[in-house]
Amino acid sequence: MASTIHQSSVEQNGAAADRELNADELLVGCDSETTPQLSVVMPTLNEEAGIRICIEWIKTAIEDLQVPTEIIISDCCEVIE
């Protein structure tokens, strides 16, 4: 994901700021120093059409939870038999 958690919002004084963070602030990117508390793994098989809505559902949930989260999307392009 291109979104990266904002270190200043989450790690001020070792705790989250007084305000609730939005989903984009809670998403942890691969280059972030923040350790995610939640990892969501989405195995897909050529799911380009439906992936956007799934990500929006996840973002809604993490706003409610208020935890740093990473989303891992695995797209397997071949069927394993």
Side-chain angles (χ1 to χ4, degrees):
M1 298 266 72
S3 299
T4 302
I5 197 161
H6 298 285
Q7 297 294 324
S8 60
S9 297
V10 174
E11 294 183 354
Q12 287 178 343
N13 302 319
D18 291 335
R19 67 176 180 84
E20 286 195 5
L21 303 175
N22 67 42
D24 289 330
E25 293 171 310
L26 290 164
L27 287 174
V28 176
C30 60
D31 60 343
S32 176
E33 293 180 16
T34 300
T35 301
Q37 293 179 4
L38 176 65
S39 297
V40 179
V41 180
M42 295 176 50
T44 64
L45 180 60
N46 301 321
E47 296 289 338
E48 184 177 348
I51 199 118
R52 176 167 273 127
I53 189 70
C54 291
I55 292 172
E56 291 303 318
W57 290 338
I58 294 166
K59 289 171 77 172
T60 298
I62 65 173
E63 282 183 355
D64 290 342
L65 294 171
Q66 288 292 296
V67 295
T69 303
E70 66 181 343
I71 301 173
I72 302 167
I73 300 169
S74 173
D75 183 25
C76 181
C77 295
E78 57 185 83
V79 177
I80 300 172
E81 296 182 28

